[in-house]
Amino acid sequence: MDDNKNRRFTRRDVFTASAGAAAVIGAAGLPVLATATPAFATDQRHGGGLRAEPLIPSRNRGIILYSVRDRIGAAPDNTGVPYGFERVLARLAEIGYKEIEFAGYTQNTAILGRQITPKEIRKILDDNGLVANGTHAQINPATFDQQMDIALQLGMKNIGTGSDPTSSAYKSDWDAAADTWNELGRRARSRGLRLYTHNHDIAYSFLLDSGPLDANGKPTRSSGVRRLEYFIDKTDPRLVFFEMDIFWAYVARFKHQTYVDRWGRQRTDLFDPILTVTPRSTRFPLFHAKDGDRNPAVPNGHDMVPLGDGDINFQQFFQTIGEQDFHHANWEQDTAPGGSTNPGQSLAFAASSYTNMSELTIYRR
C-alpha cells in the first residue's frame, strides 16, 4: 500500500516542492506561477540562462469527447461544422490534441446507415495520429470484461467511469466499494489496463462515521475524513487510480467546508485539491482540465467556462503536483455545446482551450 498514506501533507510541503521553480522564476524578476503567455523568450541571451518548457507536454494534451458530444452525435447537416467521429476527430487533431478520452462509442446512424464499430473508431484515431487515453464507461463486475475488450481494441491504457464508486456517506459502503474496485483493478491490471474513477464535488464531502446513531443504526456525525480520500487509502495503489476533475475539486473546496464532529461541534476544514494529489501523485494519471470563474451567487461557487477564461490556477496546480510526463490533461466543459443557435461553439471552445493549455509554461535552468 501507499507508504505516504498516513503522512499529513501541509502547505509548507507544497511550497517546498515548488521552491526550486519559484526561485528560478523569481530570480529572473518574473511573477511566480503566472498563468499568462511566457514573459520572456526561450533564447538564453534574453532569458538569463533560463529555458521555457511546456508544463503539459504536447503528447499529454487531450479532450474528453463529452465536451463536443453535440457534434459527435450530430446528423449530417449543412452547417459546415464537423459531425460524427471521423470529421470531429480530424478537427481535434488539427487543433493540436493528441489524446482522446471517450464518453460513449456511438454516433448518429444516418452517417453510415448503421452504428460505427470500435474497430472503425480505432482506424480514425490512427489515421489522425490520436491516442485513446481513457473512457467513461459503466464499471461493474458483470460487464467489465466486455468494457475492457473495447478499451483494448481502441488502444487505451486506462479504463474508467464518470461516477463515484458509491454515492453513500457511510464508511461501510466505501469499504465494500474498495473491495470491489481492488478486484476489478486486479482484473484490469492482468490485461494491461489501469482502472480509474472520476470525481464530482460530492466525493470530497465528509463521511458520516461517528457520533450518535440514527434510527437505522447509522452514524450521524463525522470525524472529518472526506469520502474519496478515505477510498484512496483503502484501495491498493497498484490497482486503483484516479482522474481528478479539477473544476469539481474546487467546487468541493467552496461547498464542503464544515462538518459536525462526534461531540456536536461544528468544525471547518478547507479542501485543497493540490494537497490531495501531491503526496500520491502517481495515483492520478488523468485529470479533467476544466475551468471555472468564481461566482458565489451560484450553488457551485463557480461558472463553468472554457479553459483559460476562468480563475482556477492551472499553472500552480500542474507545476506543484509535478510528474509532468506521467500526468495527462483532458479538457472538459460540460456546457460547451451551443445548440442549434451556435452549432460550432463546442469546437471553438475546444480550440481556445487547447491554445491556453499549450501556453502553460514551466521555467528551468
Side-chain angles (χ1 to χ4, degrees):
M1 297 297 288
D2 192 339
D3 293 336
N4 293 320
K5 73 177 185 177
N6 294 317
R7 179 185 171 213
R8 180 173 176 81
F9 216 76
T10 68
R11 288 184 179 276
R12 183 181 298 276
D13 294 310
V14 169
F15 292 137
T16 299
S18 58
V24 169
I25 298 173
L30 298 170
V32 177
L33 301 177
T35 57
T37 303
F40 58 84
T42 58
D43 185 339
Q44 292 188 0
R45 292 171 299 174
H46 304 289
L50 295 175
R51 67 182 187 276
E53 298 177 357
L55 185 55
I56 301 172
S58 61
R59 63 184 176 277
N60 291 0
R61 298 175 201 151
I63 177 175
I64 182 168
L65 294 182
Y66 186 72
S67 302
V68 292
R69 61 193 181 278
D70 58 326
R71 299 315 301 171
I72 292 290
D77 56 35
N78 59 3
T79 63
V81 181
Y83 57 85
F85 280 109
E86 183 174 15
R87 292 164 179 81
V88 171
L89 292 183
R91 174 59 185 145
L92 294 175
E94 184 180 54
I95 288 169
Y97 289 102
K98 299 298 184 185
E99 298 194 326
I100 300 295
E101 184 179 25
F102 283 84
Y105 310 113
T106 60
Q107 64 180 13
N108 195 294
T109 55
I111 296 173
L112 296 176
R114 56 173 174 79
Q115 193 49 258
I116 195 169
T117 66
K119 181 178 179 180
E120 290 169 327
I121 297 173
R122 175 61 185 271
K123 184 177 186 306
I124 295 169
L125 291 169
D126 293 345
D127 288 348
N128 288 282
L130 295 169
V131 174
N133 69 12
T135 183
H136 281 196
Q138 293 296 320
I139 301 297
N140 64 70
T143 60
F144 194 46
D145 285 333
Q146 295 95 311
Q147 291 295 333
M148 288 194 290
D149 290 342
I150 296 172
L152 290 170
Q153 191 167 20
L154 291 172
M156 295 177 194
K157 293 183 179 179
N158 308 285
I159 182 170
T161 179
S163 303
D164 292 326
T166 174
S167 60
S168 172
Y170 302 110
K171 184 184 292 186
S172 60
D173 293 318
W174 285 91
D175 287 338
D179 290 341
T180 298
W181 276 66
N182 280 334
E183 176 55 32
L184 292 176
R186 188 172 292 108
R187 287 166 60 181
R189 187 183 187 191
S190 72
R191 299 188 67 181
L193 291 164
R194 285 183 298 218
L195 173 64
Y196 70 94
T197 183
H198 164 279
N199 68 275
H200 294 88
D201 70 279
I202 194 68
Y204 290 114
S205 62
F206 299 97
L207 282 173
L208 294 177
D209 59 353
S210 66
L213 304 182
D214 64 16
N216 297 315
K218 298 288 189 180
T220 57
R221 297 174 184 168
S222 180
S223 65
V225 175
R226 296 178 186 273
R227 300 181 189 185
L228 194 61
E229 290 185 329
Y230 178 77
F231 180 79
I232 291 172
D233 288 341
K234 289 291 291 185
T235 49
D236 190 327
R238 300 166 300 176
L239 303 176
V240 179
F241 298 86
F242 301 88
E243 175 182 65
M244 177 176 277
D245 186 303
I246 299 171
F247 172 86
W248 290 116
Y250 279 95
V251 170
R253 180 176 175 83
F254 173 80
K255 289 176 65 174
H256 306 298
Q257 298 186 8
T258 62
Y259 64 94
V260 177
D261 71 14
R262 63 185 306 167
W263 296 283
R265 298 174 299 196
Q266 183 167 291
R267 300 287 190 177
T268 298
D269 180 76
L270 290 180
F271 176 65
D272 193 318
I274 291 175
L275 296 185
T276 290
V277 175
T278 304
R280 50 178 81 86
S281 194
T282 54
R283 298 288 302 271
F284 290 83
L286 301 173
F287 293 86
H288 274 186
K290 182 190 298 181
D291 208 350
D293 199 28
R294 285 191 190 93
N295 181 0
V298 300
N300 289 327
H302 301 75
D303 293 315
M304 205 176 291
V305 295
L307 182 62
D309 288 0
D311 50 27
I312 293 177
N313 194 334
F314 289 99
Q315 175 76 29
Q316 181 187 51
F317 183 92
F318 282 108
Q319 182 168 325
T320 305
I321 65 172
E323 303 286 353
Q324 275 81 26
D325 290 330
F326 177 76
H327 294 140
H328 299 252
N330 292 323
W331 172 67
E332 183 182 37
Q333 183 183 342
D334 304 11
T335 58
S340 59
T341 59
N342 190 1
Q345 178 174 282
S346 61
L347 286 171
F349 285 173
S352 67
S353 295
Y354 179 85
T355 296
N356 290 328
M357 186 188 296
S358 69
E359 289 180 352
L360 293 171
T361 305
I362 188 168
Y363 301 97
R364 305 183 192 276
R365 286 203 182 276

